[in-house]
Amino acid sequence: MIPKFILTHRHYCAIVKSRSGDLALTIDRGGRLIVSLSRPCIGDYIKLQPYLRISPSSEVIKPFMVYDYEYVPIYVIYRDVVALNQLTISGGKVSLQSEDADETVLRGLVVNNEDYVRYMIDVLISKYLESPIPILAMSAKLSNNPDKVEEQVRALTDGDYHVAGVKIYHKPGFMVSIRRISPYRVNVALMCSIDLVDDFKGLTKALLLTSTIVHDLRLGRVGELPMGMDVFYPIARRSLNNAA
C-alpha cells in the first residue's frame, strides 16, 4: 500500500528528490508546511506504511508520477493542526495545496509505544474535541484482545447487556458497543455526552494504544451500532420503567 509521510513534533524534516532538484520540507511553529529549494533541513519525518510499520525515516522521498506531474502528499500533525499538504512539481514549478485532514490518516497504523505515536493520537483526539458538539462519538476496528477491550470498558461503566450479537456497556450519558470479530479482532463504538469528555478521551486513547493495528478510526461518526439504542436511557432502565 502507498506509504504516508507525516511531519510532526520532533520529526519535522523531509527531503523530496524531484527532477528539478531537491526540496526541503519543514514546518513552522504554526504547523504550516515550508518548502525550500536552497536550504536543506536536518532531521527526519514519520513514515507510516499501512499494516506493516511506522517509524522515523530520513530516506529521500521520491515523488509519485501523475502524467507529467510529480506529486507528494505530506501530512502535518502538530499541536492543533491536522492537515494534508499536496505538493505538485511540474516544469520546475512547485505548487502547494493544503486542506484539513482527519483521523483517517491513522488507517493501517501498526501501533507501537513510541512517543510520536502517542503524540499523533493525542493531537487527533484533541482536535476533534475542539468542536462545539453536545454528543461525542468514536468507532474503531482494531486488532486487539476482545477480553482486554471489555476489561477497559467495564471499568468505566455500570452494566451491560447483549443485543444483535453486540455487547453494550453503559452508564448514564455513556455507551460503548463491542462486537467480537475473532479472537484477535474487535469493533468498538462509543457515544457519550460532552460532560464525560475526560472518560471519552481516556478510553479512546487506551483502546488505540493497546491495539496492535488500527484498521479504521472515526471520530464524530459511528457505525454498526444496533438501531434504537438511546445513549442516555439504557434499555435495562426502560424495561424497569415499563414494568412499573
Side-chain angles (χ1 to χ4, degrees):
M1 296 185 68
I2 296 176
K4 299 175 184 178
F5 310 112
I6 304 170
L7 297 179
T8 186
H9 181 60
R10 297 183 181 175
H11 303 278
Y12 47 80
C13 168
I15 303 295
V16 173
K17 192 73 172 180
S18 166
R19 291 178 299 182
S20 303
D22 290 354
L23 303 176
L25 309 183
T26 58
I27 50 177
D28 63 17
R29 293 183 179 181
R32 187 169 65 96
L33 185 67
I34 305 298
V35 181
S36 175
L37 295 170
S38 57
R39 186 174 59 186
C41 60
I42 299 175
D44 57 16
Y45 59 94
I46 301 300
K47 183 177 181 179
L48 193 167
Q49 189 73 49
Y51 302 103
L52 291 178
R53 68 185 66 86
I54 180 171
S55 61
S57 176
S58 57
E59 295 179 355
V60 171
I61 298 175
K62 296 181 180 180
F64 303 109
M65 298 300 300
V66 182
Y67 300 109
D68 293 330
Y69 293 84
E70 296 176 278
Y71 169 72
V72 181
I74 300 288
Y75 288 91
V76 173
I77 303 177
Y78 179 72
R79 295 183 178 174
D80 60 348
V81 175
V82 181
L84 171 58
N85 298 271
Q86 303 185 63
L87 181 70
T88 305
I89 308 115
S90 178
K93 295 183 179 180
V94 178
S95 63
L96 183 67
Q97 292 185 330
S98 182
E99 59 188 50
D100 289 338
D102 58 25
E103 66 280 359
T104 57
V105 63
L106 293 187
R107 285 179 180 169
L109 170 67
V110 178
V111 183
N112 60 39
N113 290 320
E114 297 292 342
D115 288 343
Y116 56 83
V117 171
R118 295 177 177 272
Y119 179 83
M120 290 191 298
I121 288 175
D122 188 71
V123 170
L124 286 164
I125 297 174
S126 297
K127 181 69 174 178
Y128 165 62
L129 294 178
E130 291 178 358
S131 304
I133 49 180
I135 301 296
L136 304 174
M138 181 278 291
S139 65
K141 298 179 180 180
L142 307 170
S143 284
N144 202 334
N145 183 332
D147 291 332
K148 181 188 295 184
V149 170
E150 289 194 15
E151 181 180 340
Q152 291 172 314
V153 172
R154 190 180 297 114
L156 290 175
T157 53
D158 299 332
D160 65 89
Y161 56 91
H162 295 263
V163 59
V166 178
K167 181 172 283 189
I168 305 292
Y169 288 87
H170 61 85
K171 66 180 179 181
F174 194 92
M175 182 185 73
V176 184
S177 75
I178 299 175
R179 182 188 296 273
R180 292 174 176 246
I181 305 301
S182 76
Y184 309 101
R185 287 283 302 271
V186 62
N187 293 352
V188 184
L190 163 61
M191 293 183 68
C192 74
S193 55
I194 190 65
D195 57 303
L196 296 173
V197 61
D198 291 337
D199 287 351
F200 176 90
K201 185 172 185 178
L203 181 57
T204 299
K205 290 178 64 175
L207 291 172
L208 296 177
L209 291 170
T210 57
S211 299
T212 54
I213 298 177
V214 177
H215 298 273
D216 190 22
L217 172 65
R218 305 181 184 210
L219 296 171
R221 308 178 302 284
V222 295
E224 299 186 6
L225 275 174
M227 297 301 294
M229 294 295 97
D230 189 322
V231 181
F232 306 103
Y233 300 97
I235 193 170
R237 181 187 301 170
R238 290 201 301 271
S239 297
L240 289 175
N241 289 341
N242 291 340

